[in-house]
Amino acid sequence: MYSDPDYEPPVNSIPPVIIVLLLVMVAVEGALSLAGAGMIGGATGIGWRIGALQDYGISPLVLEVITTRGDYGFDLVRRFVTYAFVHGDFTHALFCMALLLALGKFVGDTFGSVRTLVVFGGGAIFGALVFCLFARNSSPLFGAYPPIFALIGSYTYILWLRLGQTGQNQMTAFRLIGFLLGLQLVFGLLFGSGQSWIAELAGFVFGFCVATVLVPGGWMALLTRLRKRG
């Protein structure tokens, strides 16, 4: 079969890890949305989402139980990751999926699947941990925004490096996070806001910092800097 070497597919390839994460979100949200519409689950289906938020979301009470009682049971520890796959409604999930595809494509093309998973998973865990430490109420944290903000952090660092290499203003790399935080502030003032921004900001910091090591050549560059200081 003839193959045109200049042919470019209409849809750019998505890193496998992003596809897997997306499919998990689609499966979870699909089940919860169908149950909420009464299409599956029978009479109890309408309560599936609330039950999922209670069973898989995370709140400061979870960390309190772990630290005070020394209870490291799977049901508690898993919440530091599972909360990211349960959303408040279909729109919430849809926005998260769209951002996951866009940012996951960019970061995944630079880092590869394994390192991208480190950013996503580590951002989810670190965001949840900081949330549990500093949130002042027991409202649960749920949804993929914290690990997505970790991807935004890595995206920002990659863009920051590229702008520096071309001699452009590196501060423009922070436009996206500035816009999103500003949007968060506006929505908070208009409609009221919880404290999920704590986890989102923590996710961004994690993603930005870990990118300094995960970016190709980043580990060797870090060792070189440490040796010079030593």
Side-chain angles (χ1 to χ4, degrees):
M1 181 180 292
Y2 173 74
S3 177
D4 184 355
D6 297 324
Y7 171 76
E8 293 184 4
V11 179
N12 292 330
S13 60
I14 305 297
V17 67
I18 299 301
I19 295 177
V20 172
L21 292 171
L22 179 68
L23 289 177
V24 174
M25 290 185 189
V26 169
V28 172
E29 182 56 36
L32 296 181
S33 293
L34 290 174
M39 299 178 67
I40 61 174
T44 62
I46 195 171
W48 280 15
R49 188 179 299 275
I50 295 176
L53 294 176
Q54 292 175 342
D55 293 340
Y56 298 100
I58 189 168
S59 73
L61 292 176
V62 173
L63 185 61
E64 182 179 340
V65 171
I66 291 176
T67 55
T68 59
R69 301 181 186 176
D71 185 353
Y72 293 91
F74 179 71
D75 179 64
L76 294 176
V77 175
R78 72 181 182 186
R79 294 169 182 260
F80 285 89
V81 174
T82 57
Y83 79 89
F85 296 94
V86 182
H87 298 86
D89 53 44
F90 177 77
T91 303
H92 182 198
L94 190 62
F95 272 107
C96 287
M97 292 176 193
L99 288 172
L100 175 65
L101 281 175
L103 293 161
K105 163 65 178 171
F106 186 91
V107 175
D109 283 348
T110 302
F111 285 178
S113 289
V114 174
R115 294 179 181 182
T116 301
L117 183 60
V118 170
V119 174
F120 186 92
I125 295 170
F126 186 73
L129 180 61
V130 173
F131 174 82
C132 289
L133 288 172
F134 294 101
R136 296 184 178 178
N137 56 48
S138 58
S139 297
L141 175 69
F142 53 85
Y145 278 136
I148 286 174
F149 268 71
L151 292 174
I152 294 174
S154 292
Y155 163 85
T156 301
Y157 182 75
I158 295 169
L159 189 57
W160 183 81
L161 281 181
R162 292 183 180 179
L163 289 171
Q165 292 168 353
T166 57
Q168 300 181 62
N169 183 6
Q170 290 178 289
M171 293 306 296
T172 58
F174 294 89
R175 285 179 177 174
L176 178 58
I177 185 60
F179 171 77
L180 291 174
L181 290 178
L183 195 64
Q184 184 86 302
L185 176 61
V186 171
F187 273 95
L189 292 174
L190 292 177
F191 307 108
S193 176
Q195 299 182 67
S196 61
W197 63 268
I198 297 174
E200 293 161 7
L201 184 58
F204 174 84
V205 172
F206 176 87
F208 188 90
C209 292
V210 77
T212 63
V213 177
L214 295 181
V215 71
W219 177 247
M220 294 304 299
L222 177 61
L223 289 178
T224 300
R225 289 196 297 268
L226 292 175
R227 287 168 183 167
K228 288 181 179 180
R229 292 180 180 179

